[in-house]
Amino acid sequence: MIRVQDLHKEYIDGETHVRALRGVSLEIAKGEFISIAGPSGSGKTTLLNIIGCIDTADAGTVTIDDDTITGARKSDLVEIRRMKIGFVFQNFNLIPVLSAYENVAMTLSLLGLAESEIRERAMKMLAEVGLVGMEDRRPAKLSGGQQQRVAVARALVKDPLIVLADEPTANLDSETGESILKLMKSINERIGTTFVFSTHDQMVMEYADRLCRLHDGVIESDELRRSA
Amino acid sequence: MAGSSGAPHNTVPRHSGNHTHAHPKVFFRLAAKNLTRYRRRTTITASAIAFGVAVFIAMASLLGGMVAEGDRNFSNYETGSAAVTAAGYWDEREQFPLDMLVEDGAALTEALETEGFAAAPRVAFRGELIVHYDPYPEDGSAHLGMYGIDPARDPEVFNLAESVTEGRFLEQDEHGILISAWLAERLGAEVGYPVTITTRTRDGFHQIMDLDIVGIYETPNPTVDRSSIFMPLETAEYYLELAGAVTAVHLRLPEQVPGAADLAPVRSALESAGFLNAEELELLGFNEMTADFAAAVELQDAVFRVILFLLATIAVVGISNTMLMAVLEREREIGMMRALGVRDREIGVMFMFEAAGIGLLGGIIGMLFGTAAVWYLTQHGIDYSAMLEGIEMDLRFDGVLYGVWSLGTTVSAAVGAAVLAGVVALLPVRRILRRTITESLRTH
């Protein structure tokens, strides 16, 4: 479903040229629950960003669902992000003036769906992540874990091919972080959504079915821990 | 799995040409919610816009009032709707020439009346009004414009007869004059007092007239009040030895400011009667006669535009600053929205809605305050009399300047504020959208 071939990415940080990715190749099948692990600066976020069509590679190709995204037009990348990719951010990144429901529903509104369908799917997804009764709360009235649940619901509600989660538990205490992981894992198992998340947290790695370790922009190991 | 390769794939994603479209109301709602996000900033910016809009509406009202008052005063006391003069006379009128005349004023007037037009002949000349101690408080004189008018016909075209506040209006062939209250006060004149006028006849000989003040008038036209006295046409004709000639025949048409089409029947009537054929006479419309005033209004208008520009600048700087702060503070949020698939154009639309909302809020508040100001200006006006005392102005309004209502200006000011704010918002948004999504997401 996702094929990454010989991906290279270099960026400039001040006066330093950082080679974030150096020939990364990777295939991710539908329904996988894969963790891209590695220390800070290993290139895991860069890899996720390129797969998520929010960054571009200097060389190499990425195909998602048979579409080559490297070199694609900006408008097509927007469409892929809108239709096929869900994001869960480390900082939750919810819109503070919108309620939990509205944050989730906005994703569906972008698809031009009818109000009734948006309501039905958003409410169902909020129930899925355990936020029944909190639909009308704004992010400021939710705990960090609840906010991340909203973010997970927002990522999943459009039924994407893949959910990319960049350090999804980094801003949560370990107990809350684990509950988010359990939530994502259960959704992965029940619905079959593909999850790719970056982390440097050992506890997070334990949940992954497949652990891909990056170091200095190179895949150091790619370990299948259990079958999806 | 690592490092594996596969079969050839599509090089262009399948979505090309088949993009999903979010309904604009999604961004409209979000913009509306964001308006409450920075209440203090929104309030300050909207207040600045409201101030600008209110001042604009009030100034437009005053300028409109000045133009309307000027038009009325010209039309009612100096020009009428149109006039027939000797060719080239109007440009020289301030020199009061008596060698550029309509030779048979009576015949011309009658020809126009026969065709159903209200017409009144006038003779304008310069003279010195002289008064002496007893009954006056002291000796004095003033160089003034003097007008011989037809007491029967003049009220058909001008409002002078209605402006007599003491004594009476002129009667045919009498040796009487009307002077303004402004002049009477300065001379210490009263109805019944004698005056002496020295002038020159058509042929340039000195002439002296001994006349009595029969009435005192007061018009809203300060130029007329400060510089004009009136006497019967026959009296002026006799002393100036005009032999039936007049300086102009003025007309009252249904339209205060007649266009070319409105003047066409008059022109046709004059041509039929043989008055315009020799090109010795010309028919002038209101706009041609008041070109100097129009130039003065244009100058005022230019000043008004400068002030409008300054007000718009305040609004632009205010809204631009507000939106710049908003987009900078929300850069990560913008990055997140772009990552979720919101198009740059849609983000621009959202911020445009947001800024337009602030502009509209300010515009509506400004419209309310501006409307209140216009109400005050139409009811009470602004009294410039102290400021205008002793100042010669080409603007035909009396000491008190009243505003006029203009629904179009009022509404367009509010709508304009919203549109301007929306457009201005694009500048800071474009700046943020030039950054990559990952750069925006890294912002703290």
Side-chain angles (χ1 to χ4, degrees), chain B residues 2 32 42 95 159 263 267-268 297 304 320 390 399:
Chain B
T42 299
Q95 306 304 318
N159 288 9
L263 290 175
R267 189 176 301 281
S268 173
V297 169
F304 176 65
S320 178

PDB file of all heavy atoms in Angstrom, chain B residues 2 32 42 95 159 263 267-268 297 304 320 390 399:
ATOM      1  N   ALA B   2      11.918  -4.197   4.319  1.00  0.00           N
ATOM      2  CA  ALA B   2      12.739  -3.037   4.018  1.00  0.00           C
ATOM      3  C   ALA B   2      13.502  -3.223   2.742  1.00  0.00           C
ATOM      4  O   ALA B   2      14.003  -4.281   2.446  1.00  0.00           O
ATOM      5  CB  ALA B   2      13.709  -2.774   5.174  1.00  0.00           C
ATOM      6  N   ALA B  32     -16.121  33.006  11.972  1.00  0.00           N
ATOM      7  CA  ALA B  32     -17.020  33.647  12.935  1.00  0.00           C
ATOM      8  C   ALA B  32     -16.600  33.302  14.364  1.00  0.00           C
ATOM      9  O   ALA B  32     -16.599  34.155  15.254  1.00  0.00           O
ATOM     10  CB  ALA B  32     -18.454  33.210  12.666  1.00  0.00           C
ATOM     11  N   THR B  42     -10.014  42.346  18.584  1.00  0.00           N
ATOM     12  CA  THR B  42     -11.123  42.558  17.647  1.00  0.00           C
ATOM     13  C   THR B  42     -11.841  43.861  17.963  1.00  0.00           C
ATOM     14  O   THR B  42     -12.172  44.646  17.073  1.00  0.00           O
ATOM     15  CB  THR B  42     -12.118  41.384  17.736  1.00  0.00           C
ATOM     16  OG1 THR B  42     -11.430  40.195  17.375  1.00  0.00           O
ATOM     17  CG2 THR B  42     -13.301  41.586  16.812  1.00  0.00           C
ATOM     18  N   GLN B  95     -16.316  91.320 -14.036  1.00  0.00           N
ATOM     19  CA  GLN B  95     -15.882  92.683 -14.388  1.00  0.00           C
ATOM     20  C   GLN B  95     -17.098  93.575 -14.664  1.00  0.00           C
ATOM     21  O   GLN B  95     -16.947  94.767 -14.936  1.00  0.00           O
ATOM     22  CB  GLN B  95     -14.996  92.651 -15.651  1.00  0.00           C
ATOM     23  CG  GLN B  95     -13.810  91.713 -15.568  1.00  0.00           C
ATOM     24  CD  GLN B  95     -12.928  92.012 -14.373  1.00  0.00           C
ATOM     25  OE1 GLN B  95     -12.664  93.174 -14.064  1.00  0.00           O
ATOM     26  NE2 GLN B  95     -12.510  90.967 -13.684  1.00  0.00           N
ATOM     27  N   ASN B 159     -35.508  83.466  -5.777  1.00  0.00           N
ATOM     28  CA  ASN B 159     -36.199  83.485  -4.487  1.00  0.00           C
ATOM     29  C   ASN B 159     -35.979  84.787  -3.714  1.00  0.00           C
ATOM     30  O   ASN B 159     -36.242  84.840  -2.531  1.00  0.00           O
ATOM     31  CB  ASN B 159     -35.691  82.327  -3.609  1.00  0.00           C
ATOM     32  CG  ASN B 159     -36.183  80.986  -4.100  1.00  0.00           C
ATOM     33  OD1 ASN B 159     -36.753  80.907  -5.182  1.00  0.00           O
ATOM     34  ND2 ASN B 159     -35.972  79.944  -3.322  1.00  0.00           N
ATOM     35  N   LEU B 263     -31.962  71.197 -21.776  1.00  0.00           N
ATOM     36  CA  LEU B 263     -31.791  72.516 -22.388  1.00  0.00           C
ATOM     37  C   LEU B 263     -32.215  72.535 -23.855  1.00  0.00           C
ATOM     38  O   LEU B 263     -32.429  73.608 -24.426  1.00  0.00           O
ATOM     39  CB  LEU B 263     -30.321  72.948 -22.292  1.00  0.00           C
ATOM     40  CG  LEU B 263     -29.806  73.298 -20.894  1.00  0.00           C
ATOM     41  CD1 LEU B 263     -28.317  73.580 -20.943  1.00  0.00           C
ATOM     42  CD2 LEU B 263     -30.542  74.518 -20.343  1.00  0.00           C
ATOM     43  N   ARG B 267     -33.166  75.731 -26.241  1.00  0.00           N
ATOM     44  CA  ARG B 267     -32.320  76.069 -27.385  1.00  0.00           C
ATOM     45  C   ARG B 267     -33.159  76.108 -28.668  1.00  0.00           C
ATOM     46  O   ARG B 267     -33.046  77.025 -29.480  1.00  0.00           O
ATOM     47  CB  ARG B 267     -31.199  75.030 -27.511  1.00  0.00           C
ATOM     48  CG  ARG B 267     -30.130  75.387 -28.539  1.00  0.00           C
ATOM     49  CD  ARG B 267     -29.015  74.349 -28.536  1.00  0.00           C
ATOM     50  NE  ARG B 267     -28.373  74.218 -27.239  1.00  0.00           N
ATOM     51  CZ  ARG B 267     -27.460  75.068 -26.771  1.00  0.00           C
ATOM     52  NH1 ARG B 267     -27.096  76.098 -27.501  1.00  0.00           N
ATOM     53  NH2 ARG B 267     -26.945  74.896 -25.581  1.00  0.00           N
ATOM     54  N   SER B 268     -34.021  75.123 -28.783  1.00  0.00           N
ATOM     55  CA  SER B 268     -34.865  75.045 -29.970  1.00  0.00           C
ATOM     56  C   SER B 268     -35.779  76.271 -30.063  1.00  0.00           C
ATOM     57  O   SER B 268     -35.938  76.866 -31.140  1.00  0.00           O
ATOM     58  CB  SER B 268     -35.673  73.745 -29.887  1.00  0.00           C
ATOM     59  OG  SER B 268     -36.600  73.714 -30.905  1.00  0.00           O
ATOM     60  N   VAL B 297     -15.492  73.007  -5.237  1.00  0.00           N
ATOM     61  CA  VAL B 297     -15.988  71.769  -4.625  1.00  0.00           C
ATOM     62  C   VAL B 297     -15.012  70.624  -4.875  1.00  0.00           C
ATOM     63  O   VAL B 297     -14.765  69.792  -4.000  1.00  0.00           O
ATOM     64  CB  VAL B 297     -17.391  71.416  -5.176  1.00  0.00           C
ATOM     65  CG1 VAL B 297     -17.795  70.008  -4.772  1.00  0.00           C
ATOM     66  CG2 VAL B 297     -18.405  72.425  -4.670  1.00  0.00           C
ATOM     67  N   PHE B 304     -11.143  66.079   1.054  1.00  0.00           N
ATOM     68  CA  PHE B 304     -11.949  64.997   1.607  1.00  0.00           C
ATOM     69  C   PHE B 304     -11.330  63.635   1.290  1.00  0.00           C
ATOM     70  O   PHE B 304     -11.246  62.748   2.133  1.00  0.00           O
ATOM     71  CB  PHE B 304     -13.351  65.103   1.003  1.00  0.00           C
ATOM     72  CG  PHE B 304     -14.283  63.997   1.406  1.00  0.00           C
ATOM     73  CD1 PHE B 304     -14.688  63.843   2.711  1.00  0.00           C
ATOM     74  CD2 PHE B 304     -14.768  63.120   0.449  1.00  0.00           C
ATOM     75  CE1 PHE B 304     -15.548  62.830   3.067  1.00  0.00           C
ATOM     76  CE2 PHE B 304     -15.623  62.103   0.792  1.00  0.00           C
ATOM     77  CZ  PHE B 304     -16.011  61.963   2.111  1.00  0.00           C
ATOM     78  N   SER B 320      -4.537  45.088   9.278  1.00  0.00           N
ATOM     79  CA  SER B 320      -3.356  44.353   8.852  1.00  0.00           C
ATOM     80  C   SER B 320      -2.570  43.863  10.061  1.00  0.00           C
ATOM     81  O   SER B 320      -2.134  42.713  10.119  1.00  0.00           O
ATOM     82  CB  SER B 320      -2.498  45.277   7.975  1.00  0.00           C
ATOM     83  OG  SER B 320      -1.337  44.625   7.593  1.00  0.00           O
ATOM     84  N   GLY B 390     -15.743  87.800   7.683  1.00  0.00           N
ATOM     85  CA  GLY B 390     -14.705  88.572   7.007  1.00  0.00           C
ATOM     86  C   GLY B 390     -13.908  87.795   5.979  1.00  0.00           C
ATOM     87  O   GLY B 390     -12.973  88.317   5.391  1.00  0.00           O
ATOM     88  N   GLY B 399     -23.365  80.763   7.291  1.00  0.00           N
ATOM     89  CA  GLY B 399     -22.557  80.373   8.443  1.00  0.00           C
ATOM     90  C   GLY B 399     -22.794  78.954   8.901  1.00  0.00           C
ATOM     91  O   GLY B 399     -21.876  78.266   9.332  1.00  0.00           O
TER      92      GLY B 399
END
